[in-house]
Amino acid sequence: LESTPSFYKHSGWLSFANPLNLVSMKTVARGFGVSQDFWATVIEPLHQLNMSCNDLSPIPATAMSVMDDLCPLTRTQMSWSFPEQTSEEVFIRLTAQCRDIKLNTRVHELKILSDGRLEIEDSYSERKVFDRVVFACPASAVAQVASSTASWVERAILRGVLYQDDHDRLWSKVL
């Protein structure tokens, strides 16, 4: 996988003088004849998915070539994958050292023991001790479970995580 050297990486202060840093991608695309409908139904959803954002309007036009490299519209993206096996093998190897994996189990209490291990009481009133625990739930639920052991900073960070619904214009038109 080869990449073309960027002119702006090696141009010093000149890169700050590029006027496309002051113009949005949408403005440049519209200036080159891209319709509002094509922008809203093809370009925006594709790059919003890639960038995990809802609004592309603040992104400057200088980002267009980078975004096209990440998610091209007119060619197939060159990517690397797992050679002969599937990604399932990776996850099997990652969890090979795990002795006890609990799914669909609600945690009622978390205690940090003096040796640093974690004691968990689950919804079945079972108490078990673990070296590590991974919570697959909203951060606010972890804050509630860890309320007696977490510092006020940890609780504030966990309770401060916001989840947002993504409003996709393409699918809202279809559905």
Side-chain angles (χ1 to χ4, degrees):
L1 187 64
E2 275 186 42
S3 64
T4 309
S6 169
F7 169 76
Y8 293 108
K9 266 188 177 171
H10 306 290
S11 62
W13 63 271
L14 191 57
S15 63
F16 295 109
N18 187 339
L20 291 179
N21 282 325
L22 306 173
V23 181
S24 73
M25 286 191 333
K26 183 177 181 179
T27 302
V28 170
R30 295 298 304 272
F32 279 95
V34 173
S35 71
Q36 173 59 34
D37 192 40
F38 187 80
W39 177 265
T41 57
V42 176
I43 295 175
E44 248 185 351
L46 180 74
H47 289 307
Q48 286 172 341
L49 177 66
N50 187 44
M51 300 293 287
S52 296
C53 68
N54 289 331
D55 188 14
L56 295 179
S57 59
I59 298 178
T62 51
M64 288 177 92
S65 66
V66 174
M67 291 179 79
D68 188 53
D69 285 343
L70 295 172
C71 195
L73 284 168
T74 58
R75 60 186 162 68
T76 303
Q77 180 184 17
M78 188 71 152
S79 62
W80 298 94
S81 185
F82 302 104
E84 296 172 11
Q85 300 82 16
T86 64
S87 58
E88 183 179 358
E89 182 185 339
V90 173
F91 295 108
I92 289 170
R93 292 172 74 188
L94 279 172
T95 57
Q97 299 291 327
C98 298
R99 286 178 272 127
D100 192 4
I101 298 175
K102 290 269 206 180
L103 302 174
N104 301 320
T105 305
R106 188 178 197 132
V107 174
H108 286 286
E109 188 179 4
L110 167 72
K111 288 183 182 177
I112 299 175
L113 302 176
S114 60
D115 61 0
R117 294 184 305 155
L118 305 166
E119 183 181 63
I120 300 288
E121 181 185 344
D122 64 21
S123 55
Y124 306 108
S125 298
E126 285 185 42
R127 288 188 173 273
K128 288 194 173 186
V129 177
F130 298 95
D131 295 327
R132 292 184 207 124
V133 175
V134 176
F135 288 97
C137 62
S140 58
V142 178
Q144 182 64 36
V145 169
S147 62
S148 62
T149 58
S151 70
W152 70 271
V153 174
E154 292 167 330
R155 288 191 307 273
I157 290 170
L158 289 169
R159 288 188 177 128
V161 174
L162 299 175
Y163 298 95
Q164 298 179 15
D165 290 331
D166 193 13
H167 300 286
D168 188 342
R169 292 182 202 158
L170 173 65
W171 292 109
S172 62
K173 289 179 184 177
V174 174
L175 299 177

